[in-house]
Structure formats: C-alpha cells, structure tokens
Amino acid sequence: MYSDSTPHPEAPLWLEIPEDFAGLDGKLWPCGTRRNTSGELTLAGHRVSDLVAEYGTPLYVFDEQDFRARARGFVEHFPSWSIHYAGKSFLSRTVARWIDEEGLNLDVCSGNELSLALSAGFPAERISLHGNNKTIEELRYALTEGIGAIVVDSFDEIDRLRVIAFDMGKPAPVMIRVTTGIHAETHQYVATSHEDQKFGFSIHSGQAMDALVTCWEQPQFDLLGIHSHIGSQILNMDGYARASQITLLLARDFHCATNNHIREVNFGGGFGVPYLPSDEPWDIENLSDTLIRHAEKGVHYYDLPDIHFALEPGRAISGPPGVALYRVGTIKTVDLGDGLSRRYISVDGGMSDNIRTALYDADYTAILANRVSTADGVLSRVVGIHCETGDVLVKDVYLPADIEVGDILAIPVAGAYSRSMASNYNYALKAAVVAVVPGESQIMIRRETLDDLLRLDMGPHGCERSP
Amino acid sequence: MYSDSTPHPEAPLWLEIPEDFAGLDGKLWPCGTRRNTSGELTLAGHRVSDLVAEYGTPLYVFDEQDFRARARGFVEHFPSWSIHYAGKSFLSRTVARWIDEEGLNLDVCSGNELSLALSAGFPAERISLHGNNKTIEELRYALTEGIGAIVVDSFDEIDRLRVIAFDMGKPAPVMIRVTTGIHAETHQYVATSHEDQKFGFSIHSGQAMDALVTCWEQPQFDLLGIHSHIGSQILNMDGYARASQITLLLARDFHCATNNHIREVNFGGGFGVPYLPSDEPWDIENLSDTLIRHAEKGVHYYDLPDIHFALEPGRAISGPPGVALYRVGTIKTVDLGDGLSRRYISVDGGMSDNIRTALYDADYTAILANRVSTADGVLSRVVGIHCETGDVLVKDVYLPADIEVGDILAIPVAGAYSRSMASNYNYALKAAVVAVVPGESQIMIRRETLDDLLRLDMGPHGCERSP
C-alpha cells in the first residue's frame, strides 16, 4: 500500500493519501455534514443510506441551510450591492424560492429559465436575462413580464429589442455586456486588448461605447449600465480588480461622451470553489474587501457619481451545498505494468449526470459514505455506467481497500453544472434532486422515468410490427 | 477576403476555402441531398425551409434511404458475418425498426435501451447487452426477455449473472469483453500490453482466459465467444488487423486449455466517418476485404474451426445520414488584432444538442442551406445559445460574407452522438428528429416542451408563494 512517503507513481502530485477515511474536509462539505457514531455520513442529520433508500441513486442532495447561508453570505458582505444568483449553475423552483427569500436577484440564460422562475413566483423585476442569441420571442416575453434587465450582447439584439420595445410602447431596461480583455482562470488572469469569444461588446474596439451610446440615445431603451464577466471557477481575485478598473474607465468615458451617468455596474460571477482538499478557497470577507475596495477606488479615481454595483455568483452558492450519492456496482483492478495497478470503481451514474470531468477535465474527490473504513488507501478511479472510456467522475482518489459492491460513494461540491447539464446518454434517466434540512427531506426534482423519455418517441410500437 | 493563396492566419491548416458555396461534398452528405434550382438544400427532396417551417429548429433530419443503405452495406459486404448496430450512437423506435428490417442485430448499452428496442418490436434474440456496470435488474430483465447475448465485462458481473441464471434456471448467453492492448485512434493505433480503462478483461494479465474458462465451466453460462473493441472514430484499419490476431490467439489458447471451441468473435466497432472535406474515408469494400482477410488468416494460422464473426458499427451507419439544421440568430465580428477578425455566427442550438465539439474537440463543417451565395468566404465560428464560451458547434469554417439573421445553416454528419447525448443545459429543449424519404417526412422524436421538463420539478408554484 502507498503512503505519503511512497505515493502511487500514477497518482497526481496534488493527491494526498487521507490519514483517516472518517475525516471530512470542512471546506468541501455542506455545513450540516457529519459522520454519525456508526461512521456513516449524514447530511443535515439524514443518513445517506436512508436518503438513497427513499430516493434511489444516483442522487443529488442539497443542504438547504448551507445553500441559504452561502447566498446570504454574499448579501451580507456586499451590503449595498445587488447579488444576482446565476441560475444556469443549478435552478429549480425550490432554488428560485430560496434565492428570493434570501433577498438575491436572479440571472437567467433563456426564456425557459425565466418561465421556470416566474412559475415559482420569483418577481420579474429582480430577474436579468442573459444570452448571446436571444430570440424575438424570448425578448418579447421578458419585456411583457416586466423583467428587471436584459443584458444586451450584440448589435443584432439591439436591433430586435428596439423593434419589440417600440411595438410594446415601453422602454427595455438594458445592461450592456462588455468584454474587458481580462480572462481569469483558476490561478491566474491574462489581459489582452482583444477577445476571441462570442460574448459581449469589446471595449478596446469601441463597440462597447457604441452600444452604450446607441441605447442611451434611443427612447426604446432604458440604459441601466454595464455588465462584465471575466471567466469561471476563479480562485485568484486579481483579475476582478483589473476588470473593475477597465469597466469603470468605460463608465467615465461614457460620462465624458454623453454627460450622462452609468447607474449600475455588474462585475459578473465566476467565483471559484474548492473541489479538492488541496484547493485553496477564498473567503467571503476577503472577496468583499477586495472587490468593494477596488470598486470604490475606481469611483473615486474616475470621479464617478453613485454607481450601484452588482455581482453574479452561481457555483459559489450552488456548488458546495450539493452532494452526489452513487451506489458502487462493479470493482475492477487493472494491471498497469511494473507492478502497478489502478482500481476502477463503477457507480450507477456517470457522464450523463455529471459531465464536468469529461468536458472540462475537472477534478473531484469522493468518499466512502455509508460506513467508515480503517483499511489502507488504494488509488482509485470512479467511473460511470456509460459505454465510453471517458466516462469518469473522479479521476484519482485514494479510497479504502475494502470498498465493496453496494457501498455508497459521496462526491462533494457537486451542486453546480452537473444535474443542470445532465443528458440521457445511453437512455440514462436523470437523477432526482433532494433538499435536506434537519428532520426533513424534500424532493426538488423527481427522478426521470423511462416513460418520460419514451413519450417523445413517435416511432412504431411493437404491436404494429409487420409479421 | 481570403483565398487559398492567402488564407486567414487564424484558420487551421486543413481548412479549405470552398471554391463554390453551392457545392456539396459527396462524402459528407446523405445520398438524397441536392441543391434545387433556386440553390436551396434539399434532403430526400424536401427543402430545408419546409422542414424547419414544419418541425422548427434546431432539427435533426435523417435520410432514411441513406441510413438503410449504410446498414445494408455492412450486411452485404460481410456476407457470413453478423452486423450489430451500436444503438448508443443514435437509437429511437424508428431506427430500431430500420435496423431490424435491414437484417442487422442490435447492441444496447442499458436496460432502458433494451426496453426501447423491445417496445419497437425488435427481436430480443438479436440484441446484445453491453455495459461495464450492469445492474442485477438489467441482467434479470435481459435474461427474462431472451436476449441474444450479454457482453460480460467483469468478474463482479459474472458473479451476479451466475446467481440470476441459477435462479431463473436457464443459462445466460455470454460474450467475454476482452482488452487486447490495441488502442486505435483516427490515424494511428498503439499497442501496449496494459490497458488503463474500465472496460473488459485484459488478455495480457490472464484475466480474459480466466473469465472464458469460468463461464465455460459453469452451467449457468452459455459461452458464445469473445468480444473486442479497440476505439472510436477510427479511419485507419491497421489496429483492427492487429486486434484480430490477438483475439484469435486467445481463441486458440482457449481451445488448447479446454479442448473447446470459441463459437463467435466480435471485433467491435469504432469505424470512423469523415466529418470534414479534408477527411479521407475508408470504403466498405476495402474494410470488408481487410477485416475478412485478417480474420480468415487468423483462423487458418491458428487452425481454428468455424468461427462466426461479428462487427458493431454505430456512427458509420447513423452519423452521415443525419443533418442538423439551425436558424442563424446573431452575427458578430470580433476584432482579433493585427487587422484580423473572426465572425461568430450564433444559431439556435449548441452544446445542449451537440456536445461533441466541446467534449471531444471534434471538428464539423457547415453550409448555408436555405439559399446559395456567391459572396466571398469569411472565416466563421458557429456557436450556440448557451451561457458558456466553449459552446461551439463548428470551430472553423468559411461561410459566405452575406449570411444574415434568419438564414438556415446545415451541419452534415450530425446523426451520431449528438441528439443521443443531448442535455437541457440552460433549460434548452431537446430538438426534434425527423426521417425523410422522397415525398414524405416523419417525426421520429418530437421536440421536447417546457412542460416535459417542468413536470419533473416538484418545487413550489407561484400561487403558493408567501405574500
């Protein structure tokens, strides 16, 4: 067996062998997560074995208090700012309700997300609509419902929104999505004057100013302000500081050009979360200190009047409260040569419920959840059910040597961009999503059934088969 | 504008500027594809504008005659072999019927795919069940329905299948999935003794022989033979030849060890298709010559008695007959600096209906379909509606300079691993799939509705919202 002094040569350098398989890394698990006295994982007091017995596997479990606390944390630490929850990370009617109750706004990416939020009773005036290719129907629907803001992304969109707003006789509330040239990734950011991507109006090219002035001049628009978004899963905040400067400079230039003030600046989202024990998270105090300081500095430096600031966290709110539970089905040790081996643990989900590992080369960790083990650690790969070699959930993790068929594995930080991107590859059924609080569990999204899928199939049934 | 002598510096080297935007590369389009006298694309005689008017966009259109011809092509060129269609590439009840009528067998990857096929009247005895982590329920269901073969993938599966077969009092017909150490990719293959993947029993380690002997010795199994699969999207056939040798050597060794013959060897699938004008396809004559010759050589060399051979094409049958149709919604030219630019053409689908570009870095091409243009070519990127920079459908393609909002783009070779892997990211609705023959179009899978999605959402409705 391997130890920290002699790790498995195939293991990535950052991968640590846990000293104790009972341990729970506080930064990876929802606040209500414990091991009970028998060593079983509990989520808000619910034993994972009870949850999977009631709801089946794969199962996504959200710790409601943890979710609300993260949402509230943004509101509390950015007291005069607006916090928009990015619904694309994970949205359901229940989540829309939580977000509403915690006083956040909501960002949606499509008319369908908007429809879902409205059906949950979320107030339209606190919703913003994103998207690089909104249809006329989506724009009309958003205006009709009294949406708070449309984040305009192209001149084509300005053209079609002008016509719709004119028809409807009311100005469209708009933010202008700009590109600052700042691209941030997990541990770094790059600054270029040019951006090779589909979103936004480039500041450098002058398109952003053109869009701002166009919307300001025309009565079909109520120009609210500027929206910037610099990336995803960002753990280093330097890029936000730089983007904030560039965006506020644009606000100043707009003021100079029009003698009109930008009322709102939204710095977007992308706040990363730790997925692994070795990831270093930011904390909300530091984040708010940094962002507020830079925003105030910009306001002062460019002599801007009161600007209302906004942020758009998605994953930072919905990721960590979500835990994915899977049942182990097949265990196979594969010879890698030179005396090495890798253990493949197949669970009953996979790339259909969480494609992030395959799509983004994302890293996750996993633990044995239904019991605690004192066995040695074995380098393991957690894979799914799909007929595809790339169907991996956790690339590398040390799990106890005595894992057996029927055990339950839990993957933390699974709330964002997993169930929301789920597919039916190999006719897999989409997993159920459950919310837990102490003493109660509640189904948010029920498990799909084969009938749900087959009702779309208009093909011939067996009884019609020619003899 | 750019020409072959001065291509866009950002364009990949293989990308050619079309001489004529009206042209159709025969190897990329279904046999029934034409431009009509007005220059509009027709699929089996149906104008794309009529198809999208009737069924909406995004739309997947399958040319039934082309699909059937490709299926029949395998049957005819491998006269004494069995051809199994790999349903994971794209399966619907209608497709199951076509496959049945053309005399192919069917491979399924899950109990749900099996259920769909049976519901279409596909005979169970001509179906094989794949999967690295089949559940007890799936195995029991398959045996109960009288499935033709279960492709056994692990010792865990042998254990559970033995119990089920014993309970049911009938032997389970099994193939043993082996790994040969051959990995083939598009233009090459590698041979290693070790395989670091979740599928199969390794021949090199002796596990494959153990599995064969175990299933042969025990009365709960009816051992049919050996199954090998070496990769996906393979355009060079050398890997099959090498894998065929290794597999047949295993059959010989099994004979030596048990004095019993392997009855069937399945060489799997993975036969690649051209996605781009620059891709060089194999042809079915060469493929059958090569594979049959190598198989016969192995039989002769190892002095094996009659072995029944089988293949598993999926994409090679379902990919090229499928054409994806999208409506252009937003056009944006992005400054790349140094006088260069890239045009982003946003259509009304994206990574939710075809994730292959994002997931596998796959290449596609696209054409302007609703009309013909004589404008110059502009380096373009076809992107989708999703709130994600990586939401790209076609990374690089020259499209006419005069493309405008409302135009229809067609992406060829879109039938495999696109709609079958579709998600509801951003609450996008899954696209409809239509079959066309001259004079008739028929819906295979209807477009999803928002109600289809929201019926899974068990959260609070607006009317219940607290005041």
Side-chain angles (χ1 to χ4, degrees):
Chain A
M1 290 301 152
Y2 304 98
S3 66
D4 276 338
S5 50
T6 57
H8 191 298
E10 293 284 323
L13 288 176
W14 49 259
L15 187 67
E16 290 159 21
I17 304 176
E19 285 178 24
D20 172 10
F21 283 116
L24 294 171
D25 188 329
K27 69 172 178 276
L28 299 184
W29 296 92
C31 57
T33 310
R34 304 281 183 277
R35 291 271 186 186
N36 67 13
T37 49
S38 346
E40 180 171 354
L41 191 75
T42 64
L43 300 168
H46 301 264
R47 301 192 311 166
V48 292
S49 58
D50 290 340
L51 290 169
V52 304
E54 182 164 2
Y55 301 108
T57 44
L59 181 66
Y60 282 83
V61 182
F62 279 82
D63 182 321
E64 177 177 340
Q65 292 179 340
D66 190 85
F67 189 106
R68 287 177 180 270
R70 288 172 197 275
R72 205 160 50 234
F74 274 94
V75 173
E76 288 171 356
H77 285 87
F78 291 90
S80 66
W81 293 32
S82 290
I83 306 299
H84 300 242
Y85 172 66
K88 65 176 174 166
S89 67
F90 177 69
L91 190 61
S92 75
R93 287 193 178 114
T94 305
V95 163
R97 182 67 58 92
W98 295 346
I99 288 298
D100 183 13
E101 289 172 354
E102 297 301 336
L104 284 77
N105 294 351
L106 178 66
D107 279 352
V108 296
C109 278
S110 66
N112 289 339
E113 284 187 0
L114 175 57
S115 184
L116 177 140
L118 294 175
S119 80
F122 202 98
E125 65 273 17
R126 280 171 38 221
I127 303 180
S128 300
L129 177 62
H130 276 274
N132 63 300
N133 186 22
K134 307 175 190 83
T135 63
I136 290 172
E137 293 71 28
E138 286 175 314
L139 292 170
R140 191 183 303 276
Y141 173 53
L143 283 187
T144 304
E145 295 291 339
I147 197 158
I150 292 170
V151 184
V152 169
D153 196 85
S154 67
F155 290 110
D156 280 336
E157 185 177 351
I158 290 178
D159 289 345
R160 70 189 66 152
L161 195 53
R162 180 192 295 113
V163 174
I164 296 167
F166 181 84
D167 278 356
M168 294 179 60
K170 65 173 179 184
V174 295
M175 301 282 287
I176 302 297
R177 167 86 178 251
V178 302
T179 56
T180 57
I182 305 297
H183 295 283
E185 293 172 13
T186 302
H187 296 297
Q188 59 181 9
Y189 78 91
V190 293
T192 60
S193 58
H194 305 290
E195 298 224 24
D196 190 8
Q197 58 146 306
K198 69 178 182 175
F199 290 110
F201 296 93
S202 155
I203 295 178
H204 177 84
S205 69
Q207 289 185 331
M209 180 62 81
D210 285 353
L212 284 168
V213 171
T214 300
C215 289
W216 170 69
E217 283 177 343
Q218 303 194 3
Q220 290 82 28
F221 299 99
D222 174 21
L223 177 63
L224 304 176
I226 301 170
H227 185 288
S228 150
H229 178 76
I230 61 168
S232 287
Q233 179 53 14
I234 300 165
L235 294 176
N236 178 313
M237 299 301 143
D238 298 344
Y240 290 103
R242 185 87 184 95
S244 134
Q245 285 181 287
I246 295 170
T247 311
L248 293 175
L249 180 58
L250 176 66
R252 200 273 313 265
D253 290 349
F254 176 76
H255 183 214
C256 295
T258 64
N259 204 28
N260 191 67
H261 292 304
I262 290 295
R263 285 138 62 189
E264 181 171 343
V265 172
N266 188 320
F267 294 124
F271 311 108
V273 296
Y275 283 99
L276 300 174
S278 54
D279 285 340
E280 289 294 335
W282 43 269
D283 71 45
I284 188 80
E285 285 83 7
N286 279 343
L287 180 73
S288 71
D289 285 354
T290 305
L291 296 192
I292 291 173
R293 190 176 71 246
H294 279 283
E296 287 177 350
K297 201 168 106 184
V299 164
H300 179 75
Y301 188 80
Y302 296 125
D303 193 21
L304 298 167
D306 266 4
I307 289 186
H308 186 74
F309 291 105
L311 291 181
E312 274 178 13
R315 182 197 319 259
I317 292 173
S318 64
V323 175
L325 300 177
Y326 301 95
R327 182 81 71 177
V328 173
T330 303
I331 300 166
K332 185 188 286 187
T333 297
V334 171
D335 178 16
L336 302 181
D338 299 328
L340 296 177
S341 62
R342 188 191 310 281
R343 185 172 59 167
Y344 281 83
I345 299 178
S346 298
V347 296
D348 51 4
M351 65 193 291
S352 60
D353 69 88
N354 188 351
I355 201 168
R356 289 190 68 256
T357 308
L359 181 58
Y360 308 117
D361 197 28
D363 287 305
Y364 283 96
T365 189
I367 64 166
L368 174 60
N370 54 307
R371 61 189 175 89
V372 76
S373 168
T374 54
D376 286 327
V378 172
L379 183 66
S380 304
R381 182 160 288 171
V382 182
V383 298
I385 54 171
H386 297 284
C387 273
E388 180 144 341
T389 309
D391 172 34
V392 174
L393 287 166
V394 184
K395 285 178 281 184
D396 296 288
V397 59
Y398 284 98
L399 285 168
D402 63 352
I403 278 189
E404 53 192 32
V405 173
D407 274 334
I408 299 167
L409 295 191
I411 295 181
V413 204
Y417 302 104
S418 46
R419 180 60 177 76
S420 59
M421 303 180 78
S423 78
N424 298 111
Y425 190 35
N426 299 158
Y427 278 81
L429 304 174
K430 290 192 184 168
V433 187
V434 168
V436 289
V437 291
E440 196 185 348
S441 67
Q442 183 199 348
I443 196 151
M444 294 205 279
I445 302 180
R446 72 161 168 82
R447 186 174 306 282
E448 217 169 18
T449 66
L450 185 55
D451 280 346
D452 290 328
L453 280 187
L454 292 190
R455 63 206 292 268
L456 305 183
D457 193 309
M458 303 286 108
H461 286 254
C463 51
E464 301 154 21
R465 184 161 178 260
S466 49
Chain B
M1 289 305 153
Y2 305 99
S3 66
D4 276 338
S5 50
T6 58
H8 191 299
E10 293 283 324
L13 289 177
W14 50 260
L15 187 67
E16 291 160 22
I17 305 177
E19 285 178 25
D20 171 9
F21 283 118
L24 293 171
D25 189 327
K27 69 172 177 274
L28 298 184
W29 296 92
C31 56
T33 310
R34 303 280 183 278
R35 293 273 187 184
N36 67 14
T37 50
S38 345
E40 179 172 353
L41 192 75
T42 64
L43 300 168
H46 301 263
R47 301 192 312 164
V48 292
S49 58
D50 290 339
L51 291 169
V52 304
E54 182 164 0
Y55 301 108
T57 46
L59 181 66
Y60 282 82
V61 183
F62 279 83
D63 181 322
E64 178 177 340
Q65 292 179 340
D66 189 85
F67 190 107
R68 287 178 180 268
R70 288 173 197 274
R72 208 161 45 235
F74 273 95
V75 173
E76 288 170 357
H77 285 87
F78 291 90
S80 65
W81 293 33
S82 291
I83 305 299
H84 300 243
Y85 172 66
K88 65 176 174 164
S89 66
F90 177 68
L91 190 61
S92 76
R93 286 193 178 115
T94 305
V95 162
R97 183 66 58 94
W98 295 347
I99 289 299
D100 182 14
E101 290 171 354
E102 297 300 337
L104 283 77
N105 294 352
L106 178 67
D107 278 353
V108 297
C109 278
S110 66
N112 289 339
E113 284 187 1
L114 174 58
S115 184
L116 177 140
L118 294 175
S119 80
F122 203 98
E125 65 273 17
R126 280 172 36 220
I127 302 179
S128 300
L129 176 62
H130 276 274
N132 63 300
N133 186 21
K134 307 176 190 82
T135 64
I136 290 172
E137 293 72 26
E138 286 175 315
L139 292 170
R140 191 183 302 275
Y141 174 53
L143 283 188
T144 304
E145 295 292 338
I147 197 159
I150 292 170
V151 183
V152 169
D153 196 85
S154 68
F155 289 111
D156 281 337
E157 185 178 348
I158 288 177
D159 289 345
R160 72 189 66 149
L161 195 53
R162 180 192 297 113
V163 174
I164 297 167
F166 181 84
D167 278 356
M168 294 179 60
K170 64 174 179 182
V174 295
M175 300 282 287
I176 302 298
R177 167 86 177 249
V178 303
T179 56
T180 57
I182 304 298
H183 295 283
E185 293 172 12
T186 302
H187 296 296
Q188 57 180 10
Y189 79 91
V190 293
T192 61
S193 59
H194 305 289
E195 298 224 22
D196 189 10
Q197 59 145 307
K198 69 178 181 176
F199 290 110
F201 296 93
S202 155
I203 294 179
H204 177 85
S205 69
Q207 288 184 331
M209 181 61 81
D210 284 352
L212 284 169
V213 171
T214 300
C215 289
W216 171 69
E217 284 176 345
Q218 301 193 4
Q220 289 82 28
F221 299 100
D222 174 20
L223 176 64
L224 305 177
I226 301 170
H227 185 289
S228 151
H229 179 74
I230 61 170
S232 287
Q233 180 53 17
I234 301 165
L235 294 175
N236 177 315
M237 299 301 140
D238 297 345
Y240 290 103
R242 186 86 183 95
S244 133
Q245 284 183 290
I246 294 170
T247 311
L248 293 176
L249 179 59
L250 175 65
R252 200 273 312 263
D253 289 349
F254 176 78
H255 183 214
C256 294
T258 65
N259 205 27
N260 191 64
H261 291 304
I262 292 294
R263 283 138 62 188
E264 182 171 343
V265 172
N266 188 321
F267 294 124
F271 311 108
V273 297
Y275 282 98
L276 300 174
S278 54
D279 286 340
E280 290 292 336
W282 43 267
D283 71 43
I284 188 80
E285 285 82 9
N286 279 342
L287 180 74
S288 71
D289 284 355
T290 305
L291 296 192
I292 291 173
R293 189 178 70 246
H294 278 284
E296 287 177 350
K297 201 168 105 183
V299 163
H300 179 76
Y301 188 80
Y302 296 125
D303 194 22
L304 297 166
D306 266 3
I307 289 187
H308 186 73
F309 291 105
L311 290 181
E312 273 180 13
R315 182 196 319 258
I317 293 173
S318 65
V323 175
L325 300 177
Y326 301 95
R327 181 83 70 177
V328 172
T330 304
I331 300 165
K332 186 188 286 186
T333 297
V334 171
D335 179 15
L336 302 181
D338 299 328
L340 296 177
S341 63
R342 190 192 309 281
R343 185 172 60 168
Y344 282 83
I345 299 177
S346 297
V347 297
D348 52 2
M351 65 194 291
S352 60
D353 68 86
N354 188 350
I355 202 167
R356 288 192 68 256
T357 308
L359 180 59
Y360 308 117
D361 195 29
D363 288 305
Y364 283 97
T365 189
I367 64 167
L368 174 61
N370 54 307
R371 62 187 174 90
V372 76
S373 168
T374 56
D376 285 328
V378 172
L379 183 65
S380 305
R381 183 161 288 171
V382 182
V383 298
I385 55 171
H386 297 284
C387 272
E388 179 145 342
T389 309
D391 172 33
V392 175
L393 286 167
V394 183
K395 285 178 281 184
D396 295 288
V397 58
Y398 284 98
L399 285 169
D402 63 351
I403 277 188
E404 53 192 30
V405 172
D407 274 335
I408 299 166
L409 295 190
I411 295 181
V413 202
Y417 303 104
S418 46
R419 180 60 179 75
S420 59
M421 301 180 80
S423 78
N424 298 111
Y425 190 35
N426 300 157
Y427 278 82
L429 304 173
K430 290 191 185 170
V433 187
V434 168
V436 289
V437 291
E440 195 185 350
S441 68
Q442 183 199 348
I443 195 151
M444 293 204 279
I445 302 180
R446 72 162 168 81
R447 186 173 307 281
E448 216 170 16
T449 67
L450 186 55
D451 280 345
D452 289 329
L453 280 187
L454 292 189
R455 63 206 294 265
L456 305 184
D457 193 308
M458 303 286 108
H461 285 254
C463 50
E464 302 154 22
R465 186 163 176 257
S466 48

